[in-house]
Amino acid sequence: GNIIGSGIFISPKGVLEHAGSVGLALIIWVLGGGVAALGSLCYAELGVTIPKSGGDYSYVTEIFGGLAGFLLLWSAVLIMYPTSLAVIALTFSNYVLQPIFPNCIPPYNASRILSMVCLLLLTWVNSSSVRWATRIQDIFTAGKLLALTLIIIVGFIQIFKGNYKELTPSNAFKFWMIPSVGHLALAFLQGSFAFSGWNFLNYVTEELVNPRRQVPISITLLNLPRAIFISIPLVTFVYTFTNIAYFTAMSPQELLSSNAVAVTFGEKLLGYFSWVMPVSVALSTFGGINGYLFTSSRLCFSGAREGHLPSLLAMIHVKHCTPIPALLLCCLATLIIMLVGDTYTLINYVSFINYLCYGVTIIGLIVLRWKRPKIFRPIKVNLLIPITYLAFWAFLLVFSLYSEPIVCGIGLIIILTGVPVFFLGVYWRNKPKCVNRLI
């Protein structure tokens, strides 16, 4: 439910643009799923070895100490989650309003107001009941999968009719641009954006029912890794075949000229039912907002519990058992970023910071093996898995820095601004009483 958001409706254009051919673009989609699977295997081990809510933050704090954990928390609370939430909410409002304004871009104020109403509604739902929030996630995940299944089925019908000219090897690998290594890194980043969210279940480990469940046979099944093992291959399959379906209806040039790939696909093939596509994107993004709120609030809760954020944010409602102060903080930060405006520029910083956090967390897996070899590990992955992931991670970061030095540099600066905040707010224990009262 978190992984399938707006990415599959946005990223195909970026992947194709940097890949330079249909065939290489499809290979990148498959490899992107493979890399997400490698990362999720590492997170499965960390999730059952350190069974704390908070995901990356909890693991980095446990392994590398308070400063590293705080910097990850700082960048996530300040930029990553509020910006991602703002972009998804704005995508939701634009697609909902599109039928009302068919010949122009929806008005700025209308888009912002609808985004805010959606965010406030889902904040209220998440504050009222964990069960409501997870039910909404289940329902909208089913809706998203049905919409993507429709695209895939229509794509197969097109193939059976013989409309697969762009997918034949001679055309699929006809390069209109020979991609450099930097282009390949950017294509992977675009595809990886669509897979982001694969680590979100680790943020709610403590709220899983039976994270370590014993079964009659002599194998310990764990709900966390089981959910990961099912979801990543399923999402990879759906994404790859959705892209294949796109190419049965559009030439590469048509796809690159479209600002809404799924809508263009619907207009070309679904006729009267073309309205299904903007509706499916709205469903997808609504579920995405719910998922981001659910997980980001748990990150704030975990940070406050460790003493890295004000203790108010570690409080949960006595009746509903929901972290209402943390949810309100996430909602407020997102509303501010929506009002500031240029969230689409910030998304570049988010991608870089995200990947930096993933890599540091998986380095932590190797460090934990060395520092605490005797700790109980219900799942223990082969060391080649984190090493392979880190090789890909290093490739992405190095060539991202080379291709976009300013964007990546600003991302690093955003992270490092947390250093003085850590020493003033966390490390400095004997603060004056007035400062403690303020916090």
Side-chain angles (χ1 to χ4, degrees), residues 2 8 36 108 111 122 152 165 208 245 277 338 365:
N2 274 314
I8 187 56
Y108 178 90
S111 179
L122 286 172
I152 292 168
K165 179 185 171 186
L208 288 174
M277 287 301 104
M338 275 186 198
L365 170 67

PDB file of all heavy atoms in Angstrom, residues 2 8 36 108 111 122 152 165 208 245 277 338 365:
ATOM      1  N   ASN A   2       1.983   1.240   0.663  1.00  0.00           N
ATOM      2  CA  ASN A   2       2.877   2.400   0.659  1.00  0.00           C
ATOM      3  C   ASN A   2       3.693   2.481  -0.616  1.00  0.00           C
ATOM      4  O   ASN A   2       3.943   3.563  -1.129  1.00  0.00           O
ATOM      5  CB  ASN A   2       3.831   2.334   1.856  1.00  0.00           C
ATOM      6  CG  ASN A   2       3.241   2.940   3.094  1.00  0.00           C
ATOM      7  OD1 ASN A   2       2.666   4.011   3.056  1.00  0.00           O
ATOM      8  ND2 ASN A   2       3.341   2.233   4.198  1.00  0.00           N
ATOM      9  N   ILE A   8       4.398   5.019  -9.984  1.00  0.00           N
ATOM     10  CA  ILE A   8       4.199   4.244 -11.209  1.00  0.00           C
ATOM     11  C   ILE A   8       3.505   5.085 -12.280  1.00  0.00           C
ATOM     12  O   ILE A   8       3.558   4.776 -13.471  1.00  0.00           O
ATOM     13  CB  ILE A   8       3.398   2.950 -10.924  1.00  0.00           C
ATOM     14  CG1 ILE A   8       3.326   2.050 -12.174  1.00  0.00           C
ATOM     15  CG2 ILE A   8       2.014   3.269 -10.401  1.00  0.00           C
ATOM     16  CD1 ILE A   8       4.637   1.657 -12.760  1.00  0.00           C
ATOM     17  N   ALA A  36      15.433  -3.304  -4.537  1.00  0.00           N
ATOM     18  CA  ALA A  36      14.521  -3.113  -3.398  1.00  0.00           C
ATOM     19  C   ALA A  36      14.379  -4.410  -2.604  1.00  0.00           C
ATOM     20  O   ALA A  36      14.308  -4.393  -1.368  1.00  0.00           O
ATOM     21  CB  ALA A  36      13.157  -2.636  -3.888  1.00  0.00           C
ATOM     22  N   TYR A 108      -4.310  27.146  -8.523  1.00  0.00           N
ATOM     23  CA  TYR A 108      -3.358  26.936  -7.422  1.00  0.00           C
ATOM     24  C   TYR A 108      -4.087  26.804  -6.087  1.00  0.00           C
ATOM     25  O   TYR A 108      -3.852  25.863  -5.325  1.00  0.00           O
ATOM     26  CB  TYR A 108      -2.382  28.115  -7.399  1.00  0.00           C
ATOM     27  CG  TYR A 108      -1.371  28.068  -6.279  1.00  0.00           C
ATOM     28  CD1 TYR A 108      -0.137  27.448  -6.450  1.00  0.00           C
ATOM     29  CD2 TYR A 108      -1.639  28.672  -5.051  1.00  0.00           C
ATOM     30  CE1 TYR A 108       0.801  27.418  -5.424  1.00  0.00           C
ATOM     31  CE2 TYR A 108      -0.713  28.652  -4.021  1.00  0.00           C
ATOM     32  CZ  TYR A 108       0.506  28.025  -4.214  1.00  0.00           C
ATOM     33  OH  TYR A 108       1.413  27.995  -3.197  1.00  0.00           O
ATOM     34  N   SER A 111      -6.256  23.612  -5.674  1.00  0.00           N
ATOM     35  CA  SER A 111      -5.408  22.428  -5.462  1.00  0.00           C
ATOM     36  C   SER A 111      -4.888  22.375  -4.028  1.00  0.00           C
ATOM     37  O   SER A 111      -4.925  21.323  -3.381  1.00  0.00           O
ATOM     38  CB  SER A 111      -4.241  22.471  -6.458  1.00  0.00           C
ATOM     39  OG  SER A 111      -3.394  21.375  -6.265  1.00  0.00           O
ATOM     40  N   LEU A 122      -7.325  12.623   6.854  1.00  0.00           N
ATOM     41  CA  LEU A 122      -6.574  11.405   7.153  1.00  0.00           C
ATOM     42  C   LEU A 122      -5.821  11.502   8.481  1.00  0.00           C
ATOM     43  O   LEU A 122      -5.610  10.489   9.144  1.00  0.00           O
ATOM     44  CB  LEU A 122      -5.608  11.087   6.007  1.00  0.00           C
ATOM     45  CG  LEU A 122      -6.298  10.524   4.752  1.00  0.00           C
ATOM     46  CD1 LEU A 122      -5.334  10.408   3.597  1.00  0.00           C
ATOM     47  CD2 LEU A 122      -6.927   9.160   5.046  1.00  0.00           C
ATOM     48  N   ILE A 152      -2.798  -3.645 -17.145  1.00  0.00           N
ATOM     49  CA  ILE A 152      -2.035  -4.814 -17.597  1.00  0.00           C
ATOM     50  C   ILE A 152      -2.887  -5.687 -18.521  1.00  0.00           C
ATOM     51  O   ILE A 152      -2.412  -6.156 -19.570  1.00  0.00           O
ATOM     52  CB  ILE A 152      -1.523  -5.617 -16.379  1.00  0.00           C
ATOM     53  CG1 ILE A 152      -0.469  -4.803 -15.614  1.00  0.00           C
ATOM     54  CG2 ILE A 152      -0.941  -6.965 -16.817  1.00  0.00           C
ATOM     55  CD1 ILE A 152      -0.104  -5.351 -14.256  1.00  0.00           C
ATOM     56  N   LYS A 165       4.707  -3.544 -31.507  1.00  0.00           N
ATOM     57  CA  LYS A 165       5.825  -3.121 -32.347  1.00  0.00           C
ATOM     58  C   LYS A 165       6.998  -2.588 -31.515  1.00  0.00           C
ATOM     59  O   LYS A 165       8.156  -2.927 -31.773  1.00  0.00           O
ATOM     60  CB  LYS A 165       5.328  -2.034 -33.316  1.00  0.00           C
ATOM     61  CG  LYS A 165       6.408  -1.480 -34.231  1.00  0.00           C
ATOM     62  CD  LYS A 165       5.851  -0.319 -35.061  1.00  0.00           C
ATOM     63  CE  LYS A 165       6.973   0.380 -35.808  1.00  0.00           C
ATOM     64  NZ  LYS A 165       6.494   1.591 -36.504  1.00  0.00           N
ATOM     65  N   LEU A 208       2.851  -4.775  14.989  1.00  0.00           N
ATOM     66  CA  LEU A 208       2.483  -5.977  14.235  1.00  0.00           C
ATOM     67  C   LEU A 208       1.937  -7.040  15.171  1.00  0.00           C
ATOM     68  O   LEU A 208       2.420  -7.199  16.298  1.00  0.00           O
ATOM     69  CB  LEU A 208       3.716  -6.551  13.512  1.00  0.00           C
ATOM     70  CG  LEU A 208       4.249  -5.782  12.312  1.00  0.00           C
ATOM     71  CD1 LEU A 208       5.542  -6.424  11.844  1.00  0.00           C
ATOM     72  CD2 LEU A 208       3.243  -5.777  11.189  1.00  0.00           C
ATOM     73  N   ALA A 245       2.531  -2.580 -20.795  1.00  0.00           N
ATOM     74  CA  ALA A 245       1.212  -2.170 -21.299  1.00  0.00           C
ATOM     75  C   ALA A 245       1.263  -0.755 -21.879  1.00  0.00           C
ATOM     76  O   ALA A 245       0.667  -0.486 -22.936  1.00  0.00           O
ATOM     77  CB  ALA A 245       0.180  -2.252 -20.175  1.00  0.00           C
ATOM     78  N   MET A 277      -8.639   6.212 -15.223  1.00  0.00           N
ATOM     79  CA  MET A 277      -7.226   6.483 -14.935  1.00  0.00           C
ATOM     80  C   MET A 277      -7.018   7.609 -13.921  1.00  0.00           C
ATOM     81  O   MET A 277      -6.315   7.411 -12.931  1.00  0.00           O
ATOM     82  CB  MET A 277      -6.470   6.764 -16.234  1.00  0.00           C
ATOM     83  CG  MET A 277      -6.223   5.543 -17.089  1.00  0.00           C
ATOM     84  SD  MET A 277      -5.277   4.258 -16.231  1.00  0.00           S
ATOM     85  CE  MET A 277      -6.545   3.060 -15.844  1.00  0.00           C
ATOM     86  N   MET A 338       3.403  22.781   2.117  1.00  0.00           N
ATOM     87  CA  MET A 338       2.423  23.043   1.052  1.00  0.00           C
ATOM     88  C   MET A 338       2.279  24.545   0.805  1.00  0.00           C
ATOM     89  O   MET A 338       2.200  24.997  -0.337  1.00  0.00           O
ATOM     90  CB  MET A 338       1.056  22.495   1.461  1.00  0.00           C
ATOM     91  CG  MET A 338       0.853  21.032   1.147  1.00  0.00           C
ATOM     92  SD  MET A 338      -0.856  20.611   1.536  1.00  0.00           S
ATOM     93  CE  MET A 338      -0.716  18.845   1.620  1.00  0.00           C
ATOM     94  N   LEU A 365      23.882  -3.053   9.535  1.00  0.00           N
ATOM     95  CA  LEU A 365      23.681  -4.507   9.618  1.00  0.00           C
ATOM     96  C   LEU A 365      25.017  -5.233   9.694  1.00  0.00           C
ATOM     97  O   LEU A 365      25.208  -6.142  10.520  1.00  0.00           O
ATOM     98  CB  LEU A 365      22.890  -4.985   8.399  1.00  0.00           C
ATOM     99  CG  LEU A 365      22.792  -6.506   8.177  1.00  0.00           C
ATOM    100  CD1 LEU A 365      21.979  -7.164   9.271  1.00  0.00           C
ATOM    101  CD2 LEU A 365      22.190  -6.815   6.815  1.00  0.00           C
TER     102      LEU A 365
END
